[in-house]
Amino acid sequence: MSFNIPKAKKILKKYLDDNRFEHTLGVMYTAACLAMKYGEDIEKAQVAGLLHDCAKCIPDQKKIKLCVKNKISVTEIEQKNPFLLHAKVGAYIAEEKYGVTDQEILDAIACHTTGKPNMTRLEKIIYIADYIEPMRTKAPNLEEVRKLAFEDLDRTLFKILSDTLNYLKRAPKNLDPMTLQTYEYYKDKIME
Ligand code: FE
Ligand code: FE
């Protein structure tokens, strides 16, 4: 695969606010490091990391419109919390506007917010990189999770998901049932 990362970066900079752009670079480099550790394709990890939030700064109403227009399914919880849609819409934009043809990359972008059961290695890497990149400061147990990320992907997922569910208890309305499903899946998996 050969993807023009510098060119995509330039375009992205126009569509993201400064903080989001810096976060994006953090995810790209963190994903690259995890790819090195786990033998994943480094370029794929970088491209997925770079583009994972490409739809983040699109206004909510426009995200919903884009879904309707392009026959992207919108669940009830997504309708109520349109920010969740930036993952699916991001995969669509990565393909249409940035010319990504690799389905694995598109899938990793599409599930980066909630995760999903039985993720591919690339999907896990993007999900985790999004959570631990150096600009992140607010999540609990970050130090531990960052260390664990370079030891075991599934246990890291489980830790992130349980911390996330704990956090979302305060705002259960914002909980996508997929996050819960993913949590249950990885709980069973690490208990095996
Ligand atoms: Fe995101
Ligand atoms: Fe992100």
Side-chain angles (χ1 to χ4, degrees), residues 17-37:
D17 61 45
D18 289 354
N19 280 341
R20 188 58 47 182
F21 186 69
E22 289 304 320
H23 160 71
T24 282
L25 296 182
V27 175
M28 177 174 80
Y29 290 122
T30 304
C33 294
L34 290 169
M36 289 173 200
K37 161 77 187 171

Side-chain angles (χ1 to χ4, degrees), residues 52-53 56 86 112-113 130:
H52 83 284
D53 270 345
K56 186 77 179 191
H86 79 274
H112 84 264
T113 317
D130 191 26

Side-chain angles (χ1 to χ4, degrees), residues 23 27 34 43 67 73 80 90 94 96 104 122 141 184 190:
H23 160 71
V27 175
L34 290 169
E43 192 185 14
C67 287
S73 65
K80 284 183 194 141
E96 293 299 312
E104 264 203 286
L122 184 66
N141 310 312
E184 297 292 348
I190 66 162

